[in-house]
Amino acid sequence: MIPAHRRHDISDGLWEILKPHLPGREGVRGVTAKDNRLFINAVFWIMRTGAPWRDLPPDFGDWKNT
């Protein structure tokens, strides 16, 4: 299931700027991240709401594994 776009998610343009600078991308030593963009959006959601990680909406994934 693909989550619905949330109005405060990062834009495609901003994502293209951020993507090459994040750890966990393919071709870089170490573990490849499952979905860096989803993680960044989850972090922004936490920052915006002030909620604890346990209250992260399920469409961001399991709060223990995000």
Side-chain angles (χ1 to χ4, degrees):
M1 179 176 91
I2 298 172
H5 178 74
R6 292 168 295 270
R7 69 184 177 117
H8 296 291
D9 285 356
I10 60 174
S11 67
D12 291 340
L14 180 57
W15 176 242
E16 290 304 317
I17 294 169
L18 287 176
K19 184 169 50 172
H21 302 287
L22 297 174
R25 63 191 183 280
E26 285 192 37
V28 175
R29 186 171 44 174
V31 178
T32 301
K34 185 174 179 182
D35 188 344
N36 271 339
R37 188 173 186 171
L38 185 64
F39 175 74
I40 294 294
N41 284 327
V43 169
F44 287 161
W45 186 88
I46 292 292
M47 289 172 42
R48 193 174 53 257
T49 64
W53 275 106
R54 286 180 182 259
D55 293 341
L56 195 64
D59 58 321
F60 284 111
D62 182 15
W63 67 270
K64 294 175 287 205
N65 298 321
T66 300

